[in-house]
Amino acid sequence: MDRLLSMGVFAKAVESGSFSAAGDSLNMSSQLVGKHIQVLEQYLGVRLINRTTRRHHVTEAGFAYYERVKIILAEVDAAEGMAAMSSGTPRGRLRVNAPVTFGVHALAKHLPHYLAAFPEVSVDMSLSNRYVDLVDEGIDVVFRVGELSDSGLIARALAPYRLQLCAAPSYIARHSVISHPNDLALHECLGFSHTELRSRWTFMGSDGEFIAVPVSGKLMVDNGEALLVAARAGMGILLQSSELVRDDIAAGRLVEILPEFPVPARAFHLLHAPDRRMTPKLRSFIDFAIATFGIDAKSI
C-alpha cells in the first residue's frame, strides 16, 4: 500500500474517533481503513491503535506518531500547493471547518457550485460547534460565529449571523401570550449548549437599547437540528439561526415570535492562519465564501 496514503488514513481515524467515521470521510470501507493502519503497524513494528469490536483508542506510541504524521501531511500539502502556484490552477485538498447548523443548511448547499468551478480541488469539511485550533488541527479555513479574540488569525468579515425566535403553533396555543422579551422568563425555552444562549437571550428594543432576558427550560442540547425537532413537537420556544428555521416558518410548522424585538445579529468571519501560503485553492475558496456569504451577498 501507499505509505503516505496509509498515514493520511491513520490521521483521519485518530481525528474522527472511529474507523467507520474515517471511512465515511475518505469514501472507503471501515475494513479498508483498518487494513491501512494494520500495514503501518506492521511496518513500524508497534501498535498504533488498540481496537475491539465496539471501540478503539490510540496508544501512546500512536499519539506520538500522529503528531509527526500531521506535520508530514501538512508539508506534503504545502509542497503540492507550491507546485500548484506555478500553474495558477487551484488543486489539492482543502480542509474546512464550520459550525454544524451553518455547515448543514448553508455551506453544504453551495459547495457543489464551488467544486464544479474548481474540479481539481477536493474539500474535507468538518462540522463542530467547539473552538477549533487551525494550526494544531491542520485546518485551512474556519467559519466562526461571534466576536473574535486576538488570535493572530487573518479574519474576513462575512454577512452577520442572524437568529430568530419562534415556536410551534401548538406551543403558542397552550401558553400565555408573549408580548415582550421579559415574558420569556415564564416560558419553556429550549437551551443551546454554546455561548450565552444557554441561559440568556438578548433582544433589541424600539429605543435601540439591549434587553437581556434570563431563560430556562427542561431541555438543553448542543445541536440546533435536535432543538428544531423539539420545537416542532411543541416542547418550547426556539432561538436559532435564520437558515435553520426559515423553511419551517414559511411552511407554518413554526411561528416567529416578537419580530418587533429583533435579536442582535452576531459577527461572522472566515479565518485562516497568517503563515499559511495563499495557494490558488485557498484563494479560490476565500473568494467563493466572500461572494456567497459576504456582506454584499443576497442570501445564504
Side-chain angles (χ1 to χ4, degrees):
M1 286 186 171
D2 183 329
R3 195 190 317 165
L4 188 62
L5 174 59
S6 295
M7 292 165 66
V9 172
F10 166 71
K12 180 59 67 175
V14 173
E15 293 163 357
S16 59
S18 72
F19 288 6
S20 59
D24 289 341
S25 297
L26 298 170
N27 195 27
M28 65 174 59
S29 68
S30 59
Q31 291 80 10
L32 185 54
V33 170
K35 181 64 175 177
H36 275 285
I37 294 172
Q38 183 181 16
V39 168
L40 278 179
E41 290 175 331
Q42 291 173 349
Y43 176 80
L44 297 170
V46 296
R47 174 74 73 174
L48 299 174
I49 295 179
N50 287 323
R51 43 210 181 263
T52 66
T53 55
R54 291 180 175 270
R55 61 180 183 175
H56 76 250
H57 69 272
V58 184
T59 65
E60 183 177 352
F63 273 120
Y65 185 64
Y66 168 69
E67 291 300 321
R68 302 302 300 177
V69 162
K70 283 198 305 181
I71 297 172
I72 293 170
L73 294 176
E75 287 299 317
V76 169
D77 277 354
E80 292 176 347
M82 290 298 292
M85 288 179 70
S86 64
S87 67
T89 301
R91 61 166 56 93
R93 182 171 58 155
L94 189 74
R95 298 177 180 89
V96 179
N97 176 267
V100 176
T101 295
F102 171 78
V104 171
H105 295 274
L107 182 55
K109 180 172 64 176
H110 293 280
L111 269 180
H113 304 300
Y114 169 77
L115 293 172
F118 303 100
E120 295 187 56
V121 177
S122 60
V123 172
D124 185 349
M125 181 170 68
S126 61
L127 303 180
S128 63
N129 293 320
R130 65 178 178 84
Y131 177 87
V132 172
D133 189 306
L134 278 76
V135 177
D136 285 350
E137 300 184 41
I139 304 293
D140 293 299
V141 289
V142 60
F143 291 87
R144 187 166 292 167
V145 179
E147 297 301 324
L148 298 177
S149 60
D150 185 14
S151 63
L153 299 174
I154 295 177
R156 311 296 178 106
L158 302 176
Y161 202 70
R162 302 191 181 280
L163 304 176
Q164 286 182 271
L165 188 73
C166 54
S170 60
Y171 179 90
I172 295 173
R174 297 195 316 268
H175 295 82
S176 58
V177 174
I178 304 172
S179 58
H180 189 275
N182 288 332
D183 296 335
L184 294 172
L186 304 175
H187 283 263
E188 185 73 17
C189 296
L190 301 173
F192 185 55
S193 307
H194 293 283
T195 70
E196 71 279 3
L197 296 181
R198 290 179 57 91
S199 58
R200 185 174 298 272
W201 294 350
T202 302
F203 302 85
M204 183 75 73
S206 58
D207 56 359
E209 294 293 322
F210 291 125
I211 304 171
V213 181
V215 296
S216 61
K218 297 178 181 178
L219 182 63
M220 180 80 65
V221 185
D222 64 354
N223 181 279
E225 284 70 18
L227 288 175
L228 177 62
V229 173
R232 288 172 181 161
M235 291 184 62
I237 298 173
L238 179 69
L239 179 62
Q240 278 292 307
S241 62
S242 296
E243 71 262 14
L244 177 63
V245 303
R246 179 186 297 131
D247 291 344
D248 282 88
I249 291 176
R253 292 185 292 270
L254 296 176
V255 176
E256 186 175 10
I257 299 173
L258 300 177
E260 66 275 23
F261 293 92
V263 179
R266 307 181 71 193
F268 192 35
H269 293 88
L270 183 72
L271 307 176
H272 65 89
D275 59 346
R276 191 171 295 280
R277 297 178 179 89
M278 186 57 71
T279 59
K281 68 178 180 182
L282 181 56
R283 166 56 64 190
S284 68
F285 188 84
I286 291 172
D287 291 344
F288 151 78
I290 292 175
T292 308
F293 307 112
I295 295 173
D296 296 328
K298 292 182 179 180
S299 173
I300 60 175

